[in-house]
């Protein structure tokens, strides 16, 4: 799609959606709903394309002589099995749901456990790898919030106000700042797209 | 004959037909008397010839073959040549009869023979030599042999007969009759010179040139070795024998013997006598027959001309003398334009090279024309050698009528008999008078291309031959050589040159100094312009060109940049290098820390889980946000639809399952309708799993039937919403459009929005509460940003992991979220409130224990390595 046409389409759609937020114009409501429906459909199709691309890459790596991957055929096989089972049994089937609960949940949980162990070791070696006050502060904060978050510091009276409360609310402040920054960034990015200054769709 | 052969295509036609039926060529020779004059300016001689020759309309029957052995296509030969051939052939068959008739030629026709031609007949002929006319081919005895053009001359001797259309056809020879003995005063001037034309033929042979003659190219038809050319066969026998001997030419058919008539003209006799005698003395001009003056002059020029050895060869003195016998008219009235010896060369140059000379001929069997043998031109031409490669067919030269006049006996050239008598010239020739010698323009010298021009090119050559310039030239402005640069006006001395002010002099830019090179007098030594003066020297200047000096600038770089550059260079050099052998390769050690730490963590967790202890009262305390969530759910009215979104990954199921189960159990206890939805593909499955697990823990839902009934009647799973944030916006706007089909719709076929759990729900605001269980802050933020504006007063509750809780707590602080269940702690405490299960306390204990362990590990590591660093720092 040529640049001028893509820009025009992006700007027009952005303005329509944005105006629907601020101005409850009855004419814009159905247009906005329609456009959102198209966007959702396109995102769904993009998801399917991503799945197909993933399978294609695995197939090519399986067939290539130079970079043969042993797990590629396993992945493709599992994918095909899951696909067939989902089409046949449907996701509502208890049997198909066991694929999720019995395979995927344990695998991902195990991965998270491994990640936690790795993080512990990395924290353990942090001072050794990277010297400096930031490393000390990071370790100190990690230890503190591990204790606070685990509830060790909790008292029977609840979360103590004061230092603990301050320390408990300190991440919240940081988070708020981050959220504000994210919100502002999102706003500016949206305005750039509406104004045509930024064209992520041009490739 | 009944049939006549076409001279063009060779096919037979009826004798009476005039044109060929196949090619439409004229079958009968052209009759001059029949043809009307085409132009008014036709010379009188031609008309007179036509009238005198009579209206011989009888066409000579064409012989079957024009010439024996000739393979020349008749289509290629010119018409006049064809006619000659035809006549020759006809003469073969009627030769003898014709000769007999010739003897009885009319005196009128014999009177038409000019004197010079008659004189040729006085040439002595050796006995035994068959009489031969130069114009009669030697091949007359054979039917297929060609007949030379001598017949036409012999016919001139004979009285003009009706059987001689040859004379009528060929204008050049038509006027020449056999009668040549006595002058015919009544004969017109045109007829006379025509008749005498043959007399000035040079019957000499030339040296064989190295290159083929230009005349030879004019007769390409005669190139085959097997078939001699027409010209050769036209020549008398002595000529052909010359060619045969010189070039190893195969034997030619014999010429037809010349039938001597009793009344041969004198000129003819003279020719014969000349041919017959071998050592016939040169005929002096006084002894020679009466030649026209013009021919005598011609002979003289040929005699005196110095013939180049390549072209014409040497000329014997005898031939020179013979050539002196030139027509008188040529001497006196119409002198030849070539008065110098060099001019004679030019004439001799026109003489074909392949003409035989009397010297080269063998025994003279036939008489020769005396004037031809005695001519100096013949002497000159005598030594001209014929080209070795050329055969008789290649020999070309004089026209047939002329070549046949060449006598055999080259040693005794016959005197040149001028075609015209002295002082008897045709009118047209009298008009052309040679200008006096003083007025004559110098004949251009023979230009030899091979000799350099010795004329100084700088010497101006006047384009005018005459020393006197024409009048118009004098009117032109004269340009003298002296006018040159000196014509530039010299400023007078009165005006003094102005002096520039100093400031102007300072402004004057420096003139570029040109290289000092004296071009004047400089001669180029090499190159294409070598030898030319006043040219800029090229070689020297090109060699003096130097390469421009390049000043390399020093690049300033810092030490850090230099180190970086060195590193990059080292990396590039290592590219492609293979790793060292295994011996040099260090074996990576087992990472015991990972194992130890993993083991410790597992141990702590297991111990915590195994240890069962009742939850303390403080264990039921949750965070403030969790309490708010609990309160909000607890305030729900019965039978209100609650939207519960399970947007977390299966990996976080362990942390959020307790929170999920607790919330669901709380909602079930409130008798609300549960509507599950997810923006994650696995969330819908997790929702069903969490629901089922939560119901199982409830004592009132211990029965599966009840659970199933509850699930069917009080719960609905809307499935997966694709599109991420966009799908939330769509769902918030129109839930029915965003989630048309539930998770179980394909199985039971029941429309999702007709289920009891979704009764009276048209929009998102129809729900009593929206609960989002998520593992990431982005998902929670999306729900807050997209859905919360549409909820209005409807509370939004979130249950998140400890990872996302800090990012979602501001929303709680800002009242955008009505409750927030954070992490495993709040979730497990929430769950304990619902079920009072001791396992949740164990989970929290395990969490606390592992967290403490990790804290200890981190602290230990911090301490260990800090001390180590301190020690290493001190040592350094």
């Amino acid at each position: 799609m040529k640049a001028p046409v893509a820009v025009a389409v992006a700007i027009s759609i952005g303005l329509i959606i944005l105006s629907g937020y601020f101005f409850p114009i009855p004419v814009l409501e159905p247009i906005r709903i329609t456009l959102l429906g198209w966007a959702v459909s396109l995102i769904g199709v993009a998801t399917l394309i991503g799945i197909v691309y993933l399978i294609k890459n695995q197939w090519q790596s399986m067939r290539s002589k130079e970079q043969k991957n042993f797990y590629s055929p396993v992945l493709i096989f599992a994918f095909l099995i899951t696909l067939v089972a989902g089409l046949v049994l449907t996701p509502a089937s208890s049997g198909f749901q066991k694929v999720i609960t019995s395979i995927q949940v344990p695998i991902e949980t195990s991965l998270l456990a491994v990640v936690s162990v790795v993080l512990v070791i990395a924290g353990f070696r942090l001072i050794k790898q990277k010297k400096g006050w930031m490393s000390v502060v990071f370790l100190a904060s990690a230890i503190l919030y591990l204790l606070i978050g685990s509830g060790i510091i909790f008292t029977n009276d609840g979360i103590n106000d004061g230092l603990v409360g301050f320390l408990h609310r300190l991440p919240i402040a940081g988070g708020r700042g981050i959220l504000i920054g994210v919100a502002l960034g999102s706003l500016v990015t949206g305005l750039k797209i509406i104004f045509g200054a930024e064209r992520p769709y041009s490739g | 004959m009944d049939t006549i052969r076409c001279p063009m295509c060779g096919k037979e036609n009826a004798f009476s037909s005039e044109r060929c039926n196949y090619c439409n060529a004229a079958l009968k020779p052209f009759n001059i008397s029949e043809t009307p004059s085409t132009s008014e300016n036709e010379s009188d001689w031609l008309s007179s010839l036509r009238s005198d020759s009579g209206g011989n309309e009888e066409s000579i029957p064409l012989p079957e073959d024009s010439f024996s052995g000739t393979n020349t296509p008749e289509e290629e030969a010119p018409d006049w040549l064809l006619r000659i051939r035809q006549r020759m052939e006809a003469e073969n068959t009627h030769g003898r009869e014709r000769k007999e008739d010739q003897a009885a030629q009319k005196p009128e026709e014999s009177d038409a023979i000019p004197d010079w031609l008659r004189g040729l007949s006085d040439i002595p002929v050796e006995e035994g030599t068959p009489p031969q006319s130069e114009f009669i081919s030697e091949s007359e005895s054979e039917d297929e042999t060609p007949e030379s053009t001598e017949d036409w001359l012999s016919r001139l001797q004979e009285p003009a007969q009706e059987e001689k259309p040859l004379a009528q056809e060929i204008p050049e020879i038509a006027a020449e009759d056999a009668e040549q003995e006595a002058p015919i005063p009544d004969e017109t001037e045109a007829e006379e010179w025509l008749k005498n034309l043959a007399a000035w033929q040079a019957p000499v042979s030339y040296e064989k040139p190295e290159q083929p003659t230009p005349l030879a190219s004019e007769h390409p038809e005669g190139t085959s070795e097997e078939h001699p050319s027409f010209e050769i066969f036209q020549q008398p026998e002595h000529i052909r024998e010359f060619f045969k001997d010189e070039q190893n030419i195969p034997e030619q058919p014999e010429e037809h013997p010349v039938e001597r008539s009793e009344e041969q003209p004198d000129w003819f006799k003279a020719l014969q006598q000349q041919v017959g005698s071998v050592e016939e003395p040169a005929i002096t001009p006084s002894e020679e027959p009466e030649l026209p003056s013009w021919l005598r002059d011609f002979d003289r020029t040929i005699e005196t001309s110095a013939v180049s050895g390549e072209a014409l060869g040497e000329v014997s003195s005898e031939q020179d003398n013979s050539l002196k016998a030139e027509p008188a008219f040529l001497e006196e009235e119409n002198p030849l334009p070539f008065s110098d010896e060099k001019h004679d060369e030019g004439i001799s140059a026109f003489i074909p090279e392949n003409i035989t000379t009397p010297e080269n001929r063998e025994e003279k069997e036939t008489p020769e024309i005396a004037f031809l043998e005695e001519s100096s031109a013949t002497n000159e031409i005598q030594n001209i050698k014929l080209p070795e490669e050329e055969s008789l067919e290649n020999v070309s030269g004089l026209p047939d009528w002329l070549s046949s006049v060449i006598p055999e006996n080259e040693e005794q050239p016959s005197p040149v008999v001028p075609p015209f008598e002295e002082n008897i010239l045709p009118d047209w020739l009298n008009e052309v008078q040679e200008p006096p010698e003083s007025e004559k323009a110098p004949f251009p010298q023979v230009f030899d291309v091979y000799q350099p021009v010795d004329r100084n090119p700088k010497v101006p050559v006047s384009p005018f031959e005459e020393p006197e310039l024409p009048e118009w030239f004098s009117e032109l402005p004269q340009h003298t050589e002296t006018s040159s640069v000196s014509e530039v006006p010299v400023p007078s001395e009165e005006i003094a040159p102005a002096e520039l002010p100093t400031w102007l002099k300072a402004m004057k830019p420096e003139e570029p100094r040109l290289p000092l090179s004296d071009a004047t007098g400089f001669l180029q030594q090499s190159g294409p312009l070598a030898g030319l003066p006043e040219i800029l020297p090229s070689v020297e200047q090109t060699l003096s060109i130097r390469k421009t000096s390049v000043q390399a600038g020093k690049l300033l770089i810092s030490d850090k940049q230099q180190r970086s550059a060195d590193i990059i260079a080292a990396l590039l050099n290592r590219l492609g290098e293979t790793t060292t052998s295994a011996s040099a390769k260090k074996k990576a050690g087992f990472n015991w820390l990972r194992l130890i730490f993993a083991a410790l963590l597992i141990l702590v967790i297991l111990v915590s889980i195994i240890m069962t202890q009742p939850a303390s009262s403080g264990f039921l305390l949750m965070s403030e946000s969790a309490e708010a969530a609990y309160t909000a759910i607890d305030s729900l009215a019965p039978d209100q639809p609650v939207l519960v979104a399970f947007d977390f990954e299966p990996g976080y199921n362990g942390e959020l399952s307790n929170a999920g189960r607790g919330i669901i159990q709380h909602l079930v206890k409130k008798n609300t309708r549960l509507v599950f939805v997810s923006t994650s593909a696995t969330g819908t499955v997790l929702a069903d799993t969490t629901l089922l697990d939560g119901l199982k823990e409830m004592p009132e839902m211990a029965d599966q039937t009840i659970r199933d009934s509850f699930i069917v009647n009080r719960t609905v799973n809307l499935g997966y919403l694709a599109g991420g944030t966009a799908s939330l916006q769509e769902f918030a706007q129109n839930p029915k459009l965003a989630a048309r089909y539930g998770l179980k719709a394909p199985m039971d076929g029941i429309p999702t929005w007709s289920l009891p759990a979704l009764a009276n729900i048209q929009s998102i605001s129809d729900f009593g509460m929206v609960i989002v269980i998520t593992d990431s802050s982005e998902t929670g933020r999306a729900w807050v940003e997209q859905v919360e504006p549409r909820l209005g007063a409807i509370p939004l509750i979130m249950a998140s992991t400890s990872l996302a809780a800090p990012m979602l707590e501001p929303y709680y602080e800002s009242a955008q979220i009505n409750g927030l269940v954070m992490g495993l702690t709040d979730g497990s405490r929430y769950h304990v409130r619902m079920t009072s299960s001791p396992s949740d306390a164990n989970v929290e204990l395990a969490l606390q224990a592992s967290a403490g362990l990790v804290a200890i590990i981190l602290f230990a590591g911090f301490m260990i390595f800090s001390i180590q660093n301190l020690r290493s720092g001190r040592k350094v």
Side-chain angles (χ1 to χ4, degrees):
Chain A
M1 198 175 188
K2 293 190 175 180
V5 178
V7 172
V9 170
I11 293 173
S12 61
I13 292 176
L15 288 174
I16 290 172
I17 300 296
L18 191 62
S19 62
Y21 274 111
F22 294 102
F23 308 103
I25 302 174
V27 179
L28 296 177
E29 190 72 18
I31 296 174
R32 194 156 63 91
I33 292 172
T34 304
L35 293 174
L36 280 174
W38 292 353
V40 171
S41 301
L42 289 175
I43 293 171
V45 173
T47 305
L48 291 174
I49 292 173
I51 294 171
V52 173
Y53 181 75
L54 174 66
I55 299 302
K56 188 193 89 170
N57 287 342
Q58 296 299 323
W59 177 262
Q60 290 178 351
S61 72
M62 184 180 67
R63 295 188 63 185
S64 65
K65 297 179 180 180
E66 298 176 353
Q67 296 179 352
K68 276 195 172 181
N69 191 358
F70 174 75
Y71 300 103
S72 296
V74 176
L75 186 145
I76 294 173
F77 177 75
F79 169 78
L80 293 175
I81 293 295
T82 307
L83 179 64
V84 172
L87 292 174
V88 173
L89 301 176
T90 68
S93 169
S94 60
F96 181 77
Q97 290 181 358
K98 289 182 180 179
V99 175
I100 303 300
T101 58
S102 302
I103 299 174
Q104 193 166 359
V105 171
I107 291 174
E108 291 189 16
T109 304
S110 300
L111 288 175
L112 287 175
V114 172
V115 170
S116 63
V117 175
V118 171
L119 289 175
V120 169
I121 296 172
F124 179 78
R125 296 177 179 176
L126 180 61
I127 298 298
K128 181 182 179 182
Q129 299 292 337
K130 195 170 185 179
K131 302 173 185 178
W133 289 105
M134 292 304 298
S135 300
V136 175
V137 172
F138 179 82
L139 284 174
S141 62
I143 294 171
L144 179 63
Y145 286 99
L146 277 172
L147 297 174
I148 294 173
S150 60
I152 298 175
I153 303 177
F154 267 93
T155 62
N156 293 330
D157 299 333
I159 297 174
N160 294 331
D161 293 335
L163 182 61
V164 177
F166 171 76
L167 294 176
H168 183 75
R169 286 194 296 274
L170 190 59
I172 298 173
R176 190 183 295 276
I178 292 173
L179 290 174
I180 292 173
V182 170
L184 291 176
S186 301
L187 177 63
V188 173
T189 302
L191 290 176
K192 284 183 178 179
I193 293 173
I194 290 174
F195 295 153
E198 190 168 320
R199 303 173 187 178
Y201 41 79
S202 60
Chain B
M1 285 185 186
D2 295 334
T3 60
I4 182 173
R5 186 174 291 275
C6 176
M8 301 300 292
C9 60
K11 296 184 179 178
E12 294 183 356
N13 294 269
F15 186 78
S16 60
S17 58
E18 295 182 357
R19 289 198 170 269
C20 178
N21 296 327
Y22 300 95
C23 65
N24 201 26
L27 296 176
K28 297 178 182 178
F30 180 71
N31 192 352
I32 299 175
S33 62
E34 296 177 352
T35 57
S37 60
T38 56
S39 62
E40 297 178 358
N41 297 327
E42 188 177 9
S43 56
D44 297 337
W45 61 271
L46 186 60
S47 59
S48 62
L49 286 174
R50 288 174 178 170
S51 60
D52 292 337
S53 60
N56 188 3
E57 300 178 354
E58 182 179 355
S59 60
I60 298 175
L62 297 174
E64 295 180 359
D65 297 324
S66 58
F67 294 99
S68 61
T70 55
N71 208 15
T72 306
E74 294 182 346
E75 304 79 72
E76 299 177 359
D79 295 337
W80 61 272
L81 185 62
L82 293 173
R83 287 193 290 273
I84 293 172
R85 291 178 180 174
Q86 298 168 8
R87 192 173 299 282
M88 297 301 172
E89 292 178 359
E91 291 293 336
N92 292 331
T93 55
H94 303 281
R96 294 189 179 183
E97 296 177 2
R98 197 177 296 120
K99 289 178 181 177
E100 291 179 357
D101 295 335
Q102 288 177 1
Q105 61 180 337
K106 294 178 182 180
E108 296 176 354
E109 296 176 353
S110 63
D111 296 335
I113 300 172
D115 297 336
W116 66 272
L117 201 57
R118 292 200 199 97
L120 296 176
S121 62
D122 295 333
I123 299 171
V125 179
E126 291 182 353
E127 294 181 358
T129 60
Q132 181 182 7
S133 169
E134 294 179 354
F135 300 97
I136 299 176
S137 171
E138 294 179 352
S139 61
E140 188 177 306
S141 61
E142 300 179 4
D143 294 335
E144 296 180 356
T145 59
E147 193 172 3
S148 66
T149 53
E150 296 177 350
D151 293 338
W152 68 270
L153 193 59
S154 62
R155 263 179 265 112
L156 292 176
Q157 301 173 9
E158 298 168 346
Q161 297 178 0
E162 295 181 352
E163 297 84 0
K164 297 179 184 177
L166 177 64
Q168 301 171 6
E169 294 178 0
I170 303 175
E172 300 88 326
I173 59 176
E176 298 184 12
D177 292 338
E179 184 179 5
Q180 299 173 0
E181 294 179 353
I184 304 173
D186 297 335
E187 188 179 8
T188 58
E189 297 175 350
E191 294 175 353
E192 290 179 359
W193 79 268
L194 281 176
K195 292 174 185 175
N196 298 332
L197 278 179
W200 63 275
Q201 291 183 20
V204 297
S205 63
Y206 298 87
E207 292 182 357
K208 194 186 307 182
E210 294 179 356
Q211 296 177 358
T213 61
L215 292 177
S217 62
E218 295 177 356
H219 303 277
E221 55 271 12
T223 56
S224 172
E225 293 181 354
E226 297 178 354
H227 307 283
S229 65
F230 164 76
E231 291 77 6
I232 301 302
F233 286 104
Q234 283 181 341
Q235 303 198 11
E237 184 180 2
H238 62 277
I239 298 173
R240 284 197 292 274
E241 289 180 355
F242 172 76
F243 291 132
K244 181 174 59 177
D245 295 333
E246 290 292 326
Q247 304 171 9
N248 296 326
I249 297 167
E251 294 183 1
Q252 303 303 327
E254 297 180 0
E255 295 179 357
H256 293 284
V258 176
E259 296 183 359
R260 186 175 291 216
S261 61
E262 296 179 359
E263 297 183 0
Q264 287 182 351
D266 297 336
W267 67 270
F268 188 71
K269 292 178 183 175
L271 280 175
Q272 290 178 347
Q273 293 174 359
Q274 209 171 11
V275 170
S277 61
V278 177
E279 297 181 355
E280 187 174 2
I283 299 176
T284 59
S286 61
E287 297 178 354
E288 64 181 359
E290 295 179 357
L291 295 173
S293 58
W294 69 270
L295 193 58
R296 283 198 291 272
D297 296 334
F298 178 75
D299 292 340
R300 186 182 302 129
T301 55
I302 293 175
E303 172 188 356
T304 57
S305 63
V307 179
S308 59
E310 296 179 354
L312 299 175
E314 299 177 355
V315 179
S316 61
S317 58
E318 294 177 352
Q319 293 177 352
D320 293 339
N321 295 329
S322 64
L323 283 177
K324 292 180 181 178
E326 55 190 18
F329 78 94
L330 290 177
E331 288 182 350
E332 299 175 355
E333 298 179 3
N334 295 317
L336 290 174
F338 320 112
S339 57
D340 301 332
E341 293 181 357
K342 296 181 181 179
H343 298 166
D344 295 338
E345 292 178 359
I347 292 177
S348 60
F350 294 114
I351 298 174
E353 303 171 358
N354 52 7
I355 295 180
T356 57
T357 58
E359 294 178 352
N360 296 326
R361 294 177 184 171
E362 290 184 354
E363 300 179 4
K364 303 297 185 298
E365 298 181 357
T366 57
E368 297 177 352
I369 300 176
F371 76 94
L372 293 176
E373 291 182 349
E374 296 175 354
S375 61
S376 61
T378 56
N379 293 330
E380 294 175 353
I381 302 171
Q382 189 175 2
N383 297 328
I384 295 175
K385 299 178 182 177
L386 292 172
E388 295 179 354
E389 297 178 355
E390 289 184 356
S391 59
L392 283 176
E393 295 78 14
N394 295 333
V395 174
S396 63
L398 299 175
D400 302 328
W401 59 271
L402 190 62
S403 60
S404 60
V405 185
I406 298 173
E408 282 188 353
N409 188 6
E410 299 299 332
E411 296 177 354
Q412 296 180 356
S414 58
V416 177
V417 179
F420 298 100
E421 292 182 352
E422 291 186 5
N423 300 329
I424 301 177
L425 292 173
D427 295 335
W428 65 271
L429 202 60
N430 288 328
E431 297 174 358
V432 180
Q433 294 187 359
E434 189 178 358
E437 294 184 1
S438 60
E439 297 178 356
K440 276 189 293 185
F443 183 73
Q445 301 177 5
V446 177
F447 184 74
D448 190 358
V449 294
Y450 298 103
Q451 290 184 359
V453 178
D454 55 354
R455 187 173 55 187
N456 188 357
K458 290 190 177 181
V459 174
V461 179
S462 174
F464 303 100
E465 294 182 352
E466 299 177 355
E468 295 179 358
L469 297 174
E471 297 177 356
W472 61 268
F473 189 76
S474 60
E475 298 175 359
L476 293 174
Q478 299 296 328
H479 173 72
T480 58
E481 294 180 355
T482 56
S483 62
S484 61
V485 186
S486 61
E487 292 182 351
V488 176
V490 179
S492 59
E493 296 179 354
E494 298 177 354
I495 302 173
E499 294 182 357
L500 297 173
T502 55
W503 61 272
L504 192 60
K505 288 181 182 178
M507 292 174 59
K508 183 178 181 181
E510 294 182 359
E511 295 180 356
R513 294 182 180 181
L514 299 175
L516 298 177
S517 60
D518 186 9
T520 59
F522 174 81
L523 295 179
Q524 192 66 263
Q525 299 297 329
S526 62
L529 304 177
L532 297 180
E534 299 179 354
I535 293 175
L536 295 175
S538 60
V539 177
E540 298 175 0
Q541 285 191 354
T542 53
L543 293 177
S544 64
I545 295 174
R546 300 178 301 171
K547 291 184 178 180
T548 56
S549 60
V550 178
Q551 295 182 358
K554 188 177 181 181
L555 182 62
L556 300 176
I557 55 175
S558 62
D559 296 337
K560 187 178 180 180
Q561 291 174 344
Q562 184 64 39
R563 287 195 297 272
S564 302
D566 295 339
I567 292 170
I568 293 173
L571 290 174
L572 292 176
N573 293 331
R574 291 176 189 174
L575 289 177
E577 292 181 356
T578 58
T579 57
T580 55
S581 58
S583 61
K585 186 179 179 181
K586 283 187 177 181
K587 188 176 182 181
F590 183 76
N591 195 348
W592 294 101
L593 285 177
R594 292 181 185 174
L595 185 61
I596 294 171
F597 290 160
L600 288 174
L601 287 172
I602 293 171
L603 182 61
V604 166
I605 292 170
L606 287 176
V607 169
S608 301
I609 291 174
I610 294 173
M611 295 175 59
T612 57
Q613 63 180 6
S616 61
S617 60
F619 185 75
L620 298 176
L621 294 176
M622 295 184 296
S623 63
E624 180 181 356
S625 59
E627 288 291 339
Y630 182 88
T631 303
I633 293 173
D634 197 43
S635 63
L636 285 173
D639 199 35
Q640 275 191 342
V642 176
L643 181 63
V644 181
F646 281 79
D647 285 340
F648 61 93
E649 295 298 323
Y652 294 95
N653 188 48
E655 185 174 2
L656 293 173
S657 62
N658 287 339
R661 283 196 305 263
I663 291 172
I664 288 174
Q665 292 171 355
H666 194 183
L667 291 172
V668 170
K669 286 182 178 182
K670 287 293 179 179
N671 196 20
T672 59
R673 292 177 288 171
L674 301 177
V675 179
F676 300 105
V677 71
S678 176
T679 59
S680 172
T682 57
T684 55
V685 176
L686 293 174
D688 284 351
T689 306
T690 304
L691 174 63
L692 190 60
D693 295 339
L695 290 176
K696 287 181 178 180
E697 292 177 354
M698 296 178 67
E700 55 270 23
M701 295 293 173
D703 189 6
Q704 185 173 356
T705 306
I706 298 172
R707 286 197 304 271
D708 294 340
S709 174
F710 179 83
I711 290 172
V712 171
N713 297 322
R714 303 298 291 181
T715 66
V716 64
N717 195 337
L718 295 178
Y720 165 65
L721 296 179
T725 308
S727 63
L728 289 176
Q729 176 64 226
E730 185 183 16
F731 184 81
Q733 290 183 358
N734 192 349
K736 282 188 176 181
L737 185 63
R740 293 182 186 179
Y741 308 100
L743 184 65
K744 297 180 181 179
M747 294 179 64
D748 51 15
I750 300 173
T752 304
W753 289 92
S754 64
L755 293 174
L758 293 174
N760 302 325
I761 295 176
Q762 303 299 327
S763 64
I764 193 69
S765 59
D766 294 335
F767 288 96
M769 181 179 286
V770 177
I771 298 172
V772 180
I773 302 173
T774 181
D775 62 337
S776 69
S777 60
E778 287 77 17
T779 305
R781 183 162 59 86
W783 276 97
V784 173
E785 293 175 355
Q786 304 299 329
V787 178
E788 192 275 334
R790 297 233 177 232
L791 295 176
I794 299 172
L796 177 60
I797 305 299
M798 283 195 178
S800 66
T801 59
S802 302
L803 181 64
M807 299 300 294
L808 295 176
E809 222 173 337
Y811 290 108
Y812 172 76
E813 296 286 336
S814 63
Q816 289 179 291
I817 298 176
N818 297 102
L820 180 59
V821 178
M822 294 183 295
L824 182 60
T825 306
D826 289 343
S828 59
R829 291 184 179 184
Y830 198 104
H831 183 245
V832 168
R833 284 191 183 186
M834 293 293 103
T835 59
S836 303
S837 168
S839 60
D840 295 334
N842 296 334
V843 170
E844 185 176 348
L845 181 62
L847 175 61
Q848 293 177 356
S850 59
L853 179 63
V854 171
I856 295 170
I857 292 172
L858 292 178
F859 181 76
F862 168 74
M863 294 302 294
I864 294 170
F865 294 108
S866 296
I867 295 171
Q868 189 177 3
N869 291 337
L870 290 174
R871 288 182 179 181
S872 61
R874 287 177 184 178
K875 289 179 181 181
V876 173

